[in-house]
Amino acid sequence: MTTTEPRDAIEQVSSKFGITPEDYMLPARTEIHMLDINGKLHPSGQQGAEPGHEYPLPSPKALVDAYEQLVIGRRVNDQNSALVRQGRMAVYPSSHGQEACQVAAALCLGENDWMFPTYRDTVAVMAKGVAPMEVMAGFRGDWHSGYDPKQYKVSIQSTPLTTQLLHAVGVAHAAKLRGEDTVVLAMCGDGATSEGDFHEALNFAAVFNLPVIFFVQNNQYAISVPLSQQSVAPSLAHKAVGYGMAGERVDGNDLVALLAVLGRAVRLAREGNGPLLVEAHTYRMQAHTNADDATRYREDSEVQGWIDKDPVTRMRTYLADAGLLPQDTEARITAHAEAVATALRDGMNSENVPDPADLFAHVYSTPTTQMAEQAAMLADELAREEDAK
Amino acid sequence: MSPTATTSSAANGNVSAATAAAAARTADAGTQPVTFAKALNSALADAMALEDSVLVFGEDVGVLGGVFRITDGLTKRFGTGRCFDTPLAESGIVGMAIGMAMNGMRPVIEMQFDAFAYPAFEQIASHVAKMHNRTKGRMPLPMVIRIPYAGGIGGVEHHCDSSESYYAHTPGLKVFTPATVRDAYLMLREAIDSPDPVIFMEPKKLYWTKEQVDLEALRLSHETDAVPPTEGRAAVARSGTDATLIAYGPSVSTAMAAAEAAALEGRSLEVIDVRTIVPLDDATICESVRKTGRAVVIAEAPGFASVSSEIVARIQERCFHSLAAPVLRVTGFDTPYPAPKLEKYYLPSVDRILDAVDALQWEEGA
């Protein structure tokens, strides 16, 4: 096995930027912005003014493609929330307000790269290419998960917080041992950074110098508990330095900055420079899920303040002002988003009755004797029910 | 913390029973005295030699070869990419193994001691056990979690737990526990080959016991499928006619010693070695109990809500009309595992097993 020792990796990459290892690992003094809240591009030089933290503007095509996914993401969130309200879906944790993070997480990855999402990252999962109705199987209550993780290189949407970060580390480790070019992006929220597995995953990734991007969407709340009760660190990105990896924080409602920062992080990881931690500062505009009541723990005025920072509006304004969004392009994007929403509605309206025999079929590669006995018992019950009709 | 190597098993006669069994075997050509630990070590080495995707990692498993030396020499032979130390974090070890199994590897990981596996419980119960089912078999997790377990070595607290019930209670996990040197080799090879995740529980008091075994012959017989699988197949460790002793892992040698002692008193006891707790071989257990009409289940773990209570329940459900007496148990007490000087009172002993056998209503039932 040929590996760069973690310590050497940090020395090498920081010298490329002409900065000390400490300055490489510490996030920039302020989070990286590229668009202001009015959708105006910051003058270059303000986009990360410090050496080693400069980020070039992504190409116009990359920005328009990302905007298309952003519009689709917003439409998916709103459509799914509506389906929950109509009682056609059991639950949907919406990423409304966080769509820029969702889209950038998917678009920064290449074909051989893996994503490890959470339950709130449905839009990112779809943006990485998973068929929408396969994603929705879990939320409509058909099964715990509906897509093939290997086919899409997207793991199941994890419910237990940060457990998936360690799986991401393992996928990256296996790929590295075989000499494969694979970067892994592992997602979690601000509350999850309090979990022990967050610590273990970052530490393992750094010690084994693995190409993993830990992408924290800091949306300010873990259900009802604000960030101030999770951590008093200067920022979540600062935690990186404790593991010997680089951290960066970015405006999570600024799609341009997210594409730039995550894009560079993936490139650095791919080049063998070890893992990175990226914290995106965003806001969960809706309640935790439909079962939650956000008015019990936060003021409307706080939510209103974030409407001004809406990622979709900002991106649209910027692209329109830059002449990158002619009418036909915008019409095509809107139609695409509407088609995805229609497919979701139609899919949810179609009746899908799960097979009770599946209860026993997948627990092991081959059902045990005991499973077979229980399956037979249930089949017999169902047969008698059928006869009684 | 390392266990003290002093053995306090005089109370239950386990080591002497195993030694006696080994001595009783005829020495075939190619056989030699092999320890349980060496058999496990050879199983790992043979599996790694056969298949590049088999990886070993954990705490102190690299240069040191593990605190029990089960991974001795693997780093030297296969390199640091195949057998390596991790940071000291059990959830991390199991979680990383899950990711490796998701991406084409067959990790065989070591939890240093039974109670040190508890930080990994969430990864085991929520992911190792459920990934196959959750993905309808699209994401199998072929991985082995080796756990040295149980007592009888005079170990300090957190080094002697019998934790098998936690795993056996979790659908999706297979739970293997060998009781002989031969099975140690074959069952570990089988666990590594399994498409399902296996919790491989190694009775640590057996590590230093020896049997006459031909490891090369075992390797060949495993790799040519010349031996029947052990998964879901209990072994009749000793044939008998009057009552059945059902045991697994560390308790098998105690049951064998009890059967030996009972034979001197003219009572013929059959001993069943469960071998794989999950999947459990109801058929072999029930066949024996129907034949003898009496049974005692023996386990080191506290009896309450345990593997031993499950076995009793299953016998009762399936063999009620063949029973001449209630099925009894000899288990650890429902207390935390005791300090070294008290473990002889806690562990199932030959005398306690014989007392239980005596209580199987011989007068009424005959």
Side-chain angles (χ1 to χ4, degrees), chain A residues 1 114 116 142-150 155-156 158-164 166-175 177-178 180 182 195 197 200-201 203-204 207-208 210 358-366 368-371 373-374, chain B residues 55 57 80-82 84-105 119 122-123 126-127 129 131-140 170-174 194-197 278-282 314 318:
Chain A
M1 184 176 67
W114 275 77
F116 280 77
D142 292 349
W143 200 254
H144 302 304
S145 173
Y147 55 89
D148 181 352
K150 282 181 180 159
S155 190
I156 48 102
S158 186
T159 305
L161 302 180
T162 65
T163 53
Q164 77 282 5
L166 283 161
H167 310 167
V169 168
V171 165
H173 202 160
L177 288 172
R178 288 193 299 260
E180 293 167 1
T182 298
E195 293 278 3
D197 279 359
E200 295 189 22
N203 193 45
F204 273 55
V207 166
F208 294 113
L210 301 175
D358 275 349
L359 279 173
F360 309 99
H362 309 293
V363 182
Y364 300 98
S365 53
T366 308
T368 61
T369 314
Q370 290 78 12
M371 295 263 139
E373 286 171 3
Q374 291 170 18
Chain B
L55 306 178
F57 52 95
T80 53
R82 300 282 307 281
F84 55 89
D85 291 321
T86 65
L88 214 165
E90 292 78 11
S91 187
I93 293 165
V94 175
M96 183 166 78
I98 292 170
M100 285 188 156
M102 290 173 75
N103 197 9
M105 298 298 193
E122 183 185 21
Q123 288 288 352
S126 290
H127 295 300
M131 193 69 82
H132 191 282
N133 184 62
R134 173 192 290 145
T135 60
K136 290 193 175 177
R138 287 179 289 222
M139 185 55 88
T170 305
L173 302 176
K174 287 181 172 169
S194 173
D196 297 308
V278 181
L280 187 70
D281 182 359
D282 285 314
R314 303 182 80 84
R318 288 162 177 75

Side-chain angles (χ1 to χ4, degrees), chain A residues 210-228:
Chain A
L210 301 175
V212 182
I213 312 300
F214 296 98
F215 182 44
V216 180
Q217 290 170 82
N218 171 2
N219 69 9
Q220 318 297 327
Y221 287 93
I223 303 187
S224 67
V225 179
L227 179 64
S228 59

Side-chain angles (χ1 to χ4, degrees), chain B residues 49-110:
Chain B
L50 194 65
E51 178 53 67
D52 283 347
S53 61
V54 177
L55 306 178
V56 170
F57 52 95
E59 296 158 4
D60 301 298
V61 301
V63 182
L64 180 66
V67 295
F68 292 108
R69 307 293 183 264
I70 308 303
T71 58
D72 188 33
L74 299 180
T75 298
K76 192 174 177 196
R77 177 170 169 194
F78 296 101
T80 53
R82 300 282 307 281
C83 176
F84 55 89
D85 291 321
T86 65
L88 214 165
E90 292 78 11
S91 187
I93 293 165
V94 175
M96 183 166 78
I98 292 170
M100 285 188 156
M102 290 173 75
N103 197 9
M105 298 298 193
R106 299 182 93 88
V108 184
I109 56 176
E110 178 173 302

Side-chain angles (χ1 to χ4, degrees), chain B residues 3 47 58 115 117 131 133 138 140 158 191 193 200 215 217 220 229 250 264 309 338 342:
Chain B
M131 193 69 82
N133 184 62
R138 287 179 289 222
H158 315 296
D193 289 349
F200 194 85
L215 284 172
L220 281 171
L264 298 175
S309 44
L342 290 169

